[in-house]
Amino acid sequence: MPQPKHDLASLFNAASDLAGRTFAELAAQQGLRVPNDLRRDKGWVGQLLEGALGASAGSQALQDFPDLGVELKTIPLDANGKPLETTFVCTTPLIDIAGLNWESSNVRNKLQCVLWIPIDGRREIPLHQRTVGTAFLWQPSAAEEAQLRADWQEHMDKIALGQVEQITAHQGEVLQLRPKAANSRVLTDAIGPHGELIQTLPRGFYLKTQFTGQIIRTVFNI
DNA sequence: TCGTGATCATTC
DNA sequence: GAATGATCACGA
């Protein structure tokens, strides 16, 4: 285990030092074995980096480094530096949402300061050979936050109106709503069309790849 | 069961 | 090829 990070600079330095390291190296340091692929270990790389940097929040609904107000996100890139996957932000509240607003939302809290760590997502490269990229800190610009806020508000309005089952991943410019569950049979409470309680699939907020791709391009001057 | 870490795999 | 809806693992 690394030293707990007490300030942003040492966290960022530690993350920067991971650039170029292979997943095999980082796994060995933590006594982990590298799976052959990610089919049954989808979160493995994310947890590998959490371990390497001493993230503490576990599965709580908190930022990864609550003391620093920093969220850690790995983002898999292809050979051209484009994101291969959307980025999960947090689960979506579906009930007791009357008083929620953007300022106090979990989405805003998580995205206020993100330590992005690009990783090699190319499936044709054996997992143990893939490497960590150059970490960077990001805070949404005013324009980016406005986009996030507008999408969040639109989704939450539909949920409040009992229209959660009408929301598809096509909606939202930068922030989409998609299932987030063990499988499609999982159910949770939500508001129905007439204000009653219904059972529906749990949802999560995800950043679209176009949005994260733009962040990557800006940071690396591509 | 929920929230965390996400990617898979089929469809578009 | 990109994107959506489905899925996998684990800890509390």
Side-chain angles (χ1 to χ4, degrees):
Chain A
M1 273 293 282
Q3 298 302 116
K5 302 301 181 297
H6 296 294
D7 62 88
L8 187 56
S10 47
L11 173 61
F12 181 68
N13 288 338
S16 301
D17 285 342
L18 298 176
R21 312 280 300 279
T22 63
F23 298 169
E25 280 182 81
L26 298 184
Q29 284 182 352
Q30 299 177 53
L32 301 174
R33 43 181 309 281
V34 183
N36 288 325
D37 59 59
L38 298 175
R39 274 181 298 184
R40 315 222 102 191
D41 297 88
K42 300 184 179 186
W44 186 82
V45 179
Q47 290 167 346
L48 181 72
L49 273 292
E50 285 187 347
L53 294 172
S56 57
S59 65
Q60 302 174 79
L62 284 177
Q63 292 151 323
D64 294 299
F65 298 91
D67 298 344
L68 302 176
V70 173
E71 175 73 9
L72 176 66
K73 287 286 175 207
T74 59
I75 182 159
L77 305 182
D78 69 12
N80 299 314
K82 286 175 54 180
L84 280 161
E85 301 291 345
T86 54
T87 302
F88 173 70
V89 180
C90 58
T91 47
T92 308
L94 300 177
I95 53 168
D96 299 328
I97 56 175
L100 290 191
N101 55 56
W102 168 251
E103 316 301 331
S104 61
S105 71
N106 217 333
V107 173
R108 180 168 183 268
N109 179 245
K110 293 249 178 169
L111 296 182
Q112 214 156 39
C113 184
V114 179
L115 177 60
W116 290 101
I117 304 189
I119 58 166
D120 188 346
R122 293 176 294 173
R123 292 191 206 176
E124 62 270 28
I125 309 292
L127 195 59
H128 69 270
Q129 282 180 22
R130 296 193 215 167
T131 55
V132 179
T134 301
F136 64 94
L137 282 164
W138 171 80
Q139 295 191 264
S141 67
E144 287 166 337
E145 178 161 350
Q147 281 186 304
L148 291 165
R149 175 185 191 137
D151 287 347
W152 181 89
Q153 192 65 59
E154 196 171 316
H155 294 316
M156 293 309 299
D157 285 350
K158 287 198 171 70
I159 291 167
L161 290 170
Q163 299 172 354
V164 62
E165 303 201 307
Q166 269 54 247
I167 304 174
T168 78
H170 297 282
Q171 292 158 42
E173 294 283 325
V174 299
L175 186 72
Q176 63 183 181
L177 204 68
R178 301 221 307 279
K180 172 65 172 170
N183 58 62
S184 60
R185 282 147 267 136
V186 175
L187 294 173
T188 194
D189 289 345
I191 303 166
H194 309 292
E196 79 282 25
L197 220 51
I198 62 168
Q199 295 293 109
T200 194
L201 191 55
R203 317 297 163 103
F205 289 113
Y206 296 79
L207 299 177
K208 295 181 145 191
T209 54
Q210 286 219 16
F211 183 68
T212 52
Q214 184 56 55
I215 293 171
I216 297 282
R217 283 195 299 281
T218 302
V219 168
F220 295 107
N221 290 310
I222 299 173

